[in-house]
Amino acid sequence: MAATISIGLAGLGNVGAGVYKNLERNGDLLAERTGHRFEVVRVAVRDLGKARDVEVPAARLTTDWRDLVADPAIQVIVELIGGVTEAHELVKSALEAGKIVITGNKALLAEHGHELIALAEKMDVPLYFEAAVAGGIPIIKSVREALVGNHILAIYGIINGTSNFILTQMARRGIDYRTALAEAQARGYAEADPALDVNGWDAAHKAIILAWLSYGLWVRPNEIVVDGIENVSAADIRLAATLGYTIKLLGVVRLHEDRRIEVRVQPTLIPSSHILASVNDVFNAVVVHGDIVGETLFYGSGAGQNATSSAVIADLADAAHNLAKNPGCQGFLPSGYYGQAVTVDETVSPYYIRLRVEDRPGVIAQVTSVIARHDIGLSSLVQPKVEGGGPADLMLMMHAAPFGRMRAALGELEKLSCVTEKPILMRVENFA
Ligand code: HSE
């Protein structure tokens, strides 16, 4: 007879409904594999009257997540309400009540992970979060368990599906950002308020979690570089393609030789021949580079009901194992002996700059003299042909330089009288 695990589910949105549905769908398989049946005994929702695509018996529903925490029969709380303030209170109270917690909330972990992991350790209960990073891709388990014998040298990849969909459509069809965003919303990929998806912060929260997992260091949100895709234009995508590059919103977590950690999320030009350039639409892909294993690549659906609920269900299986065989075991916890975060200005990479300039003699000389003064090397300069006169675009590819120096040069370029619009600057990553 399979023992039953009693679950309190907080949040019955897209992912919550997926967990409920898929636990029913694959309940027999899970019982065979884990020796447990998983029963959602209480569900906290905001609105009891809301129409949903899962049928939950009315007696199980409540509008107060405190009912879940207070129920002594509930062993595991699954937090899928999103947001930070209330989710923080919920996760804290559930851990304090000695319950195992599973969350998919990356913003919560990025802001309060330090305190919540410490609380879980103190209470001797695990806190699981496979669904918080890259949806259905088992990246947390892979880094934490499968690659435990490696120093992680770098993790980089595409970790936001919505922005990847938008960039893919812009590149394929030459459409502009607004049109591609509207399409992502119509297909239900982007949230009604897609701010965190397109401003880079959803990916940044995931990068912060991956950095902690790899290095035991909770990098603070204000210590990292985060730019979104809002200012990426169809023109830049087209111009980058002529140079053999594809623009992706790239998350990078990298260990420096002095043991400091670089974390950044920015639209980045990557070689079109690199495998990440073929990761399209809402897919995610993450490269993990370990000192023993070398490079490994994880690819899959980074968002969506089924993919993300698959990750939550894997955490439920771990919770069942923990309860039955290994109470209190936290799994492998990252060790915290690595240093601090690298400042933005110290991060080094090559760059792409697009300048809109007056089309007159002497302009290129002015531009290149600013760059030379900041001791930055220019690897190529292209002036695409413009029909009918008017301002011209200059496309500059710069050799690797610290961002601080590049920023200073950009500030001067912007002030030149021949430059007619705010310059566009993007990083280039050659993965050398
Ligand atoms: N909205 C996210 C994405 C999924 O588009 O990747 C949840 O983090």
Side-chain angles (χ1 to χ4, degrees):
M1 259 287 279
T4 298
I5 301 289
S6 296
I7 301 161
L9 175 61
L12 199 57
N14 195 31
V15 180
V19 171
Y20 195 91
K21 250 191 321 211
N22 287 318
L23 278 178
E24 285 192 346
R25 170 175 150 174
N26 284 0
D28 291 344
L29 175 79
L30 282 162
E32 268 170 41
R33 287 186 173 164
T34 69
H36 292 86
R37 296 215 77 91
F38 295 85
E39 198 181 343
V40 178
V41 295
R42 289 311 302 267
V43 182
V45 294
R46 268 200 192 97
D47 175 4
L48 288 175
K50 190 173 165 188
R52 303 174 199 282
D53 64 348
V54 283
E55 273 187 40
V56 179
R60 290 193 202 171
L61 292 174
T62 171
T63 51
D64 190 352
W65 54 260
R66 288 168 192 81
D67 293 343
L68 277 46
V69 176
D71 185 340
I74 289 180
Q75 299 155 287
V76 184
I77 302 255
V78 178
E79 183 278 306
L80 296 170
I81 63 172
V84 174
T85 310
E86 202 178 0
H88 182 210
E89 211 189 318
L90 190 171
V91 170
K92 239 171 90 172
S93 338
L95 291 171
E96 279 164 355
K99 297 187 192 296
I100 295 179
V101 175
I102 294 170
T103 179
N105 193 328
K106 54 233 89 181
L108 171 68
L109 292 170
E111 277 188 42
H112 298 289
H114 188 268
E115 167 212 337
L116 294 174
I117 296 286
L119 178 61
E121 278 191 80
K122 180 176 150 217
M123 297 305 301
D124 235 3
V125 282
L127 169 62
Y128 296 116
F129 49 89
E130 185 61 68
V133 181
I137 303 176
I139 192 70
I140 301 294
K141 246 183 187 308
S142 301
V143 176
R144 189 173 187 153
E145 297 177 16
L147 300 175
V148 68
N150 287 259
H151 286 284
I152 304 296
L153 304 177
I155 299 188
Y156 51 86
I158 295 164
I159 46 179
N160 181 269
T162 303
S163 55
N164 200 39
F165 173 83
I166 293 171
L167 292 176
T168 303
Q169 296 307 316
M170 289 172 71
R172 252 188 217 148
R173 295 154 54 202
I175 57 177
D176 66 15
Y177 168 73
R178 295 263 145 231
T179 312
L181 171 62
E183 232 174 83
Q185 284 177 295
R187 288 174 181 234
Y189 296 151
E191 308 293 325
D193 173 7
L196 292 179
D197 285 319
V198 297
N199 69 14
W201 276 99
D202 174 80
H205 292 147
K206 295 168 183 167
I208 288 173
I209 295 169
L210 290 173
W212 171 69
L213 211 53
S214 307
Y215 305 116
L217 175 75
W218 285 105
V219 175
R220 284 184 205 87
N222 64 4
E223 288 176 317
I224 67 175
V225 194
V226 183
D227 294 320
I229 60 163
E230 302 104 316
N231 296 322
V232 176
S233 67
D236 290 310
I237 292 176
R238 208 173 42 246
L239 291 171
T242 64
L243 298 169
Y245 287 94
T246 301
I247 299 178
K248 293 290 186 189
L249 183 69
L250 196 72
V252 176
V253 175
R254 184 177 282 139
L255 178 65
H256 282 223
E257 274 179 12
D258 62 5
R259 300 179 86 75
R260 288 187 304 154
I261 319 299
E262 173 177 345
V263 181
R264 56 185 162 86
V265 172
Q266 290 172 304
T268 303
L269 277 72
I270 63 173
S272 298
S273 56
H274 191 274
I275 195 157
L276 288 180
S278 327
V279 175
N280 286 321
D281 296 315
V282 278
F283 282 95
N284 282 196
V286 186
V287 175
V288 183
H289 190 180
D291 64 340
I292 303 176
V293 72
E295 288 203 332
T296 55
L297 173 68
F298 300 83
Y299 171 86
S301 292
Q305 185 176 69
N306 281 332
T308 312
S309 66
S310 161
V312 173
I313 291 170
D315 280 349
L316 281 166
D318 274 349
H321 183 80
N322 182 283
L323 286 166
K325 301 268 186 342
N326 215 353
C329 177
Q330 304 284 315
F332 303 115
L333 284 174
S335 90
Y337 74 103
Y338 289 90
Q340 336 125 292
V342 170
T343 64
V344 178
D345 283 355
E346 290 171 290
T347 58
V348 174
S349 69
Y351 302 90
Y352 158 97
I353 297 177
R354 180 164 59 83
L355 288 176
R356 182 138 293 182
V357 292
E358 291 167 3
D359 195 8
R360 61 174 164 78
V363 163
I364 289 182
Q366 283 183 43
V367 167
T368 51
S369 86
V370 169
I371 290 164
R373 220 171 328 111
H374 287 271
D375 198 21
I376 304 173
L378 186 64
S379 61
S380 71
L381 189 155
V382 182
Q383 181 176 353
K385 204 169 161 27
V386 180
E387 301 300 333
D393 272 333
L394 286 186
M395 224 171 23
L396 299 97
M397 296 295 279
M398 322 293 306
H399 284 302
F403 185 72
R405 224 190 288 157
M406 191 66 253
R407 194 210 312 256
L410 198 73
E412 278 188 39
L413 288 173
E414 194 172 347
K415 286 193 204 122
L416 290 176
S417 61
C418 59
V419 172
T420 60
E421 284 179 22
K422 198 172 162 49
I424 301 291
L425 171 75
M426 274 187 264
R427 286 190 192 254
V428 177
E429 188 67 67
N430 288 312
F431 307 109

